[in-house]
Amino acid sequence: MSERLNRRTVLRGLGVAGMAGLAGCSSGGDNGDGGNGGDGSDGDGDGDGDGDGGSTDRTLRQGVLMPETGDLASLGTAIRDGAILPFAVLEDDEDNPFELDYTVGDTQTNPNAGVSAANNLNNQGYPAVTGAASSEVSIAVYENVLVPNGIVGCSPASTSPAITDLEDNGLIYRTPPTDALQGEVLSQVAMEREDASTAATLYVNNSYGQLLSESFSSAFEENGGTVQTTVAFEQSQSSYAARLSDVLADDPDILIVIGYPESGIQLFRDYYSNYDGSLPILVTDGLQDSALPSEVGNAMENVKGTAPLAAGPGRDYFTEQYQNEYDSEPGVFTSQAFDATAVCLLANAAAGENDGAAIAQEMQNVANPGGEEVMPSTLGEGLAMAAEGTEIQYVGASSAVDFDDNGDLQAATYQYFGFEEGGGIRTIDEIQYS
């Protein structure tokens, strides 16, 4: 269970499964009503509800929901690491005046498991959550737990356009761009880089896959191309040979594959077992896994892809800190995860209390243009300024983190990438889009 934190120290996250039923024992936890601290408690265990926007004598509390298991596990654990990296950075930052508390929950890449994990975080009184990753899981979590309980959600990886129009009471944000943009980028790459005039899409049967397939198809056809076939597939199947046969029946110039690594391994094994590997294939961020070629058993030279790229002013600092903390290279959505947590913490400091509605009101204020610039390297100082009421602007590791009225980013940079022989991701080009 949690323990009282000394200033500038961090409670390392316990999985929520290990915390279930222990909410009343958490020092920074709920106030006895099982809610999110919305009754005026500041969540630091003293129940004085300071909430004056100027006090730093309290604990900033943040939940994290990530797929540590399931179809997205190979990417989700790294994204989780990005989400909790701000706590490690702040632990060593003498400018940080706050105590910090976080807990990680495993969504298992499953909407039902995600809702259960989110309920555990709600019961422990966390007013804001970094997560989830899968759009399908995020939508379930937002609609069933976060929005009804007044909890802020900021996803670093959920890109479905469906999230834009959620009835979210201003509580939901995200640090990656919507797939409404990525569909345009995919279309541009397919036509201009791969010289394709016909295409087919093979997509995971959920909100992420379906809407990104639709976004690509709409953009491709608006630009004069023809989408011959769209085929959905289910996760974690033993064979995808039949689905591949269906989607390739009309011999398209290019195939778009939208999915996750666990299913992608079997899908590409089936592809290379039955086809010569000459067809250009474009994948999306969900399949940007450097280990994919080795797991598939093929160099995958005909496969390229697009994904949101870390291109913010704080990218170099973030990369250095990630390498130092985890002894590995950051991957897709890891910088977006850092930024999601950082913005939530800054908004919490500005709000003056662990209350979701108060934090939501500060999300754009601490991120959008105007005020003193705060970067990942000056996050501790930024927390102090936010608490004092200083106008700040967070410019992050992944982007400038400029939110529109829907909580979406207003501009983004995409990576056009390929797979390295023997493992790794290589950048072919960077594409600016807004």
Side-chain angles (χ1 to χ4, degrees):
M1 65 185 69
S2 304
E3 63 183 53
R4 179 71 177 177
L5 297 170
N6 293 323
R7 184 157 300 172
R8 292 192 294 274
T9 63
V10 177
L11 173 64
R12 294 291 178 182
L14 300 173
V16 294
M19 293 289 292
L22 299 180
C25 299
S26 174
S27 69
D30 66 36
N31 43 47
D33 63 1
N36 66 357
D39 64 351
S41 168
D42 66 359
D44 66 3
D46 60 14
D48 62 4
D50 48 28
D52 58 8
S55 174
T56 57
D57 187 20
R58 66 185 188 93
T59 301
L60 304 183
R61 310 195 68 230
Q62 183 76 15
V64 176
L65 281 178
M66 284 296 142
E68 298 176 305
T69 57
D71 209 1
L72 264 178
S74 64
L75 300 181
T77 51
I79 300 171
R80 174 207 62 200
D81 290 345
I84 64 177
L85 183 59
F87 299 101
V89 169
L90 290 168
E91 185 176 14
D92 298 325
D93 189 342
E94 293 184 354
D95 292 323
N96 168 39
F98 287 99
E99 299 171 3
L100 303 165
D101 171 22
Y102 75 92
T103 292
V104 179
D106 180 13
T107 69
Q108 302 175 36
T109 327
N110 178 281
N112 291 332
V115 168
S116 178
N119 274 321
N120 283 332
L121 292 178
N122 175 48
N123 291 338
Q124 294 173 58
Y126 287 96
V129 171
T130 302
S134 160
S135 294
E136 196 81 353
V137 174
S138 286
I139 291 170
V141 164
Y142 298 159
E143 291 183 333
N144 292 285
V145 184
L146 269 58
V147 174
N149 289 285
I151 299 170
V152 170
C154 190
S155 173
S158 295
T159 54
S160 170
I163 294 173
T164 298
D165 298 322
L166 286 179
E167 295 292 333
D168 64 1
N169 296 329
L171 291 162
I172 303 305
Y173 294 81
R174 50 181 163 177
T175 50
T178 168
D179 282 332
L181 295 184
Q182 186 165 193
E184 298 273 359
V185 173
L186 277 170
S187 172
Q188 178 182 322
V189 169
M191 288 187 155
E192 298 180 7
R193 309 298 179 96
E194 301 295 340
D195 198 28
S197 59
T198 61
T201 69
L202 183 60
Y203 62 90
V204 62
N205 189 21
N206 62 20
S207 175
Y208 165 65
Q210 180 181 350
L211 294 182
L212 183 47
S213 173
E214 291 175 0
S215 176
F216 164 78
S217 297
S218 176
F220 193 72
E221 292 183 339
E222 283 180 6
N223 290 321
T226 300
V227 177
Q228 299 169 321
T229 313
T230 61
V231 174
F233 66 88
E234 301 299 329
Q235 299 179 48
S236 305
Q237 302 298 297
S238 60
S239 173
Y240 292 100
R243 288 288 183 264
L244 285 163
S245 178
D246 291 341
V247 78
L248 296 176
D250 293 328
D251 194 26
D253 292 336
I254 197 165
L255 174 64
I256 311 298
V257 179
I258 306 165
Y260 306 133
E262 185 179 271
S263 302
I265 292 168
Q266 185 61 50
L267 190 154
F268 278 104
R269 284 175 179 171
D270 291 341
Y271 170 78
Y272 289 113
S273 294
N274 293 286
Y275 302 91
D276 63 11
S278 61
L279 176 69
I281 296 177
L282 283 178
V283 298
T284 56
D285 44 81
L287 284 164
Q288 196 192 46
D289 186 346
S290 61
L292 197 58
S294 62
E295 294 286 351
V296 170
N298 189 286
M300 299 178 65
E301 294 178 352
N302 63 315
V303 180
K304 299 181 181 69
T306 63
L309 181 66
R315 174 173 60 178
D316 291 344
Y317 174 83
F318 162 78
T319 299
E320 179 183 7
Q321 295 301 312
Y322 192 97
Q323 292 168 335
N324 290 342
E325 185 72 13
Y326 304 116
D327 195 27
S328 63
E329 294 297 318
V332 65
F333 295 127
T334 52
S335 62
Q336 285 85 357
F338 184 101
D339 290 341
T341 296
V343 171
C344 287
L345 293 176
L346 288 166
N348 190 326
E353 56 183 322
N354 282 297
D355 176 77
I359 293 170
Q361 289 184 355
E362 298 293 343
M363 290 289 284
Q364 287 182 304
N365 292 339
V366 301
N368 289 15
E372 298 279 344
E373 281 198 355
V374 175
M375 299 180 68
S377 59
T378 60
L379 185 55
E381 182 182 355
L383 292 175
M385 287 193 294
E388 293 167 358
T390 302
E391 185 179 0
I392 63 169
Q393 172 193 352
Y394 178 72
V395 289
S398 62
S399 72
V401 195
D402 184 2
F403 294 123
D404 67 15
D405 289 340
N406 295 311
D408 290 340
L409 293 185
Q410 303 200 64
T413 301
Y414 284 88
Q415 178 187 29
Y416 176 38
F417 68 87
F419 293 97
E420 293 278 12
E421 186 174 355
I425 301 292
R426 62 187 174 92
T427 298
I428 300 170
D429 200 0
E430 296 184 7
I431 302 171
Q432 303 289 333
Y433 214 87
S434 63

